[in-house]
Amino acid sequence: MTSLTKADIKSSTVQTQIPVISAKRVSYHLYYRVLRGIAKLIVHSKLPPNSNTIAVKQYHPDFEKITGPESRFSLLLSSDDSSRNPLFRNGCVYVPERDELYIMSDLLQSTNSSALPTILISQVSLRREPDNLLQPICAVGWMKLRPPQSIPMPAGACLFADGIMYCSQGTLASDTGGLWYMGWRKAPVPLITSYFRKPFNSIQNIVKDRNNGLWFTDASIGFELDIRPKPKLPNQVYRIDGSGGNVRVVADGFGRPTGIALSPDESTLYVTDTEAVRPDGSTDPTRAATIYAFDVTERSGSPFLTNRRVFAYAVDGVPMAVICDHSGNVYAACGDGIEVWSPGGVLLGLIEVPGGCTSLCFGKKGELFIGAGQRLWVFRLTQQEPTEFRWADLNP
């Protein structure tokens, strides 16, 4: 757990129900790296954590269709030279209407021993060339926000209606945690805070389907980190209607379910199990670092998950988050960066990120935002509009 110092809290101004911790506008240089003729199974030493570049490994010829012959990337923000806090850790969400990115920090411990740890939300406003919103980003505006008291310890998040649905892990206090919706310039509203009066463990990630149903993972990591009481439920996957009714357990038998994503046609649900990583950051190679796939089927008018199977096992670290592009390729945030798998489970390649990747999401056409602890990157893909960015789905 890293420390949160007074330097990280420069203002207590309240804006749209969220306290602003600090704000600044950053202009940055674009970093380009041309990667030509990368051989399959190329072997090179792992990028050092402080490297200022991103590399690409190609394991299958189809990977070049995703990255292109020339790969461009930019380092948007970094705390390397300031607080060194992991401010870009979880819940990466892109809001296309406002061209903004929201991403959560890791657990930050105050230097005041009597203060409780917290998680901050970074609001990143993207600046592009005028009259050309699809061009590369030229500058960013950055604000660190303290979550509302009703949404302690936010983790994952997703677009919903005209706002964002947040996964609140909760605290040691009773009646905390759950799914909370925040509309644009509106106060947070709870969608669900318990499973039939049994508190959730620590909700981790969430994805929305075309019927506005919400699928989410719940793991006991909060208890492992001493921020949540002893679990009263197994580690499970749930689905709830967007209206707040009909919550159901749809999958169990996980060590620590974390990431979750739907295929483009929503016939397959992917769930990651990160049991191999311990609370102290070490790993147990005998535990799960696995992406599971399920068929989404309808029975008696309700969606069910069937045909559970191993889809992939992470090459390095654990798959903390997962998303799908419009072709059905699966992108997993792992210890070596972003591992990309075909819909058939073939490892196509690796977008190697210094220090690994913990969160990711798609932006405008060809943009892949990468949360890597102390750094926030954007990588340009050749892919067209991905499934995570569907203009028609912004309003249910």
Side-chain angles (χ1 to χ4, degrees):
M1 189 183 302
T2 55
S3 296
L4 180 68
T5 66
K6 291 183 178 180
D8 291 306
I9 306 177
K10 300 181 180 178
S11 165
S12 60
T13 305
V14 176
Q15 177 177 323
T16 67
Q17 305 296 326
I18 302 181
V20 176
I21 306 304
S22 65
K24 59 183 175 181
R25 182 166 297 176
V26 182
S27 295
Y28 63 91
H29 299 289
L30 294 178
Y31 294 88
Y32 298 92
R33 180 177 175 86
V34 179
L35 302 168
R36 302 178 189 272
I38 301 175
K40 292 185 295 183
L41 303 178
I42 186 172
V43 177
H44 62 75
S45 58
K46 192 172 182 179
L47 290 174
N50 61 349
S51 174
N52 63 356
T53 189
I54 286 179
V56 169
K57 278 186 179 180
Q58 180 176 319
Y59 295 115
H60 190 279
D62 287 349
F63 195 48
E64 188 172 337
K65 299 176 183 178
I66 296 174
T67 62
E70 297 183 353
S71 300
R72 296 181 299 163
F73 60 89
S74 307
L75 178 60
L76 300 181
L77 292 166
S78 173
S79 64
D80 286 346
D81 298 327
S82 53
S83 67
R84 294 185 177 274
N85 280 328
L87 298 171
F88 315 109
R89 177 67 162 70
N90 290 318
C92 191
V93 178
Y94 175 69
V95 183
E97 286 184 326
R98 300 191 296 277
D99 208 12
E100 291 178 344
L101 188 74
Y102 292 81
I103 187 168
M104 268 61 78
S105 74
D106 200 351
L107 198 65
L108 304 175
Q109 178 65 56
S110 173
T111 53
N112 182 351
S113 59
S114 63
L116 295 175
T118 189
I119 288 176
L120 300 181
I121 303 174
S122 284
Q123 176 188 350
V124 182
S125 301
L126 307 175
R127 304 289 187 263
R128 304 175 190 270
E129 294 296 330
D131 303 322
N132 199 343
L133 295 180
L134 294 181
Q135 288 301 308
I137 303 161
C138 60
V140 298
W142 181 28
M143 288 198 299
K144 285 179 283 185
L145 315 173
R146 190 181 297 278
Q149 292 184 352
S150 57
I151 313 180
M153 309 298 178
C158 73
L159 288 177
F160 189 81
D162 66 344
I164 296 175
M165 188 70 71
Y166 286 97
C167 302
S168 171
Q169 299 181 86
T171 64
L172 291 171
S174 59
D175 300 323
T176 60
L179 299 181
W180 288 75
Y181 169 68
M182 283 195 68
W184 177 237
R185 298 186 181 278
K186 295 179 181 178
V189 177
L191 180 71
I192 186 170
T193 56
S194 66
Y195 179 73
F196 296 99
R197 298 186 179 180
K198 292 182 179 180
F200 292 111
N201 298 329
S202 295
I203 298 180
Q204 292 299 297
N205 278 291
I206 186 170
V207 65
K208 182 177 77 72
D209 63 32
R210 61 171 60 98
N211 295 317
N212 297 311
L214 297 167
W215 306 74
F216 59 96
T217 56
D218 184 42
S220 56
I221 188 171
F223 175 70
E224 297 169 4
L225 295 174
D226 299 323
I227 63 171
R228 289 289 285 159
K230 185 177 180 179
K232 296 183 178 180
L233 289 166
N235 293 333
Q236 301 178 131
V237 177
Y238 298 79
R239 185 189 185 275
I240 184 172
D241 293 341
S243 62
N246 189 24
V247 60
R248 299 165 44 230
V249 176
V250 291
D252 62 4
F254 299 95
R256 189 186 297 117
T258 306
I260 190 167
L262 281 163
S263 63
D265 61 2
E266 300 190 353
S267 64
T268 305
L269 183 80
Y270 299 97
V271 178
T272 73
D273 193 334
T274 61
E275 188 184 17
V277 67
R278 298 187 178 99
D280 62 3
S282 63
T283 58
D284 181 348
T286 67
R287 299 291 182 177
T290 309
I291 305 172
Y292 293 97
F294 299 81
D295 292 338
V296 182
T297 59
E298 188 170 311
R299 303 276 179 87
S300 302
S302 297
F304 283 83
L305 298 181
T306 61
N307 192 23
R308 173 175 173 154
R309 57 200 180 275
V310 172
F311 173 77
Y313 188 85
V315 175
D316 189 305
V318 295
M320 293 296 296
V322 63
I323 58 176
C324 294
D325 67 19
H326 78 286
S327 297
N329 298 309
V330 178
Y331 299 62
C334 298
D336 49 1
I338 300 172
E339 298 175 8
V340 183
W341 308 77
S342 76
V346 175
L347 180 59
L348 301 179
L350 168 69
I351 301 171
E352 188 175 359
V353 181
C357 173
T358 55
S359 184
L360 71 170
C361 71
F362 294 113
K364 292 189 182 296
K365 290 183 178 180
E367 289 179 342
L368 176 62
F369 293 103
I370 303 169
Q374 297 176 10
R375 294 179 173 187
L376 178 65
W377 304 80
V378 63
F379 187 90
R380 299 289 300 186
L381 302 169
T382 61
Q383 296 282 6
Q384 297 301 309
E385 189 172 302
T387 59
E388 294 288 314
F389 175 35
R390 292 181 290 209
W391 292 93
D393 287 351
L394 294 180
N395 295 294

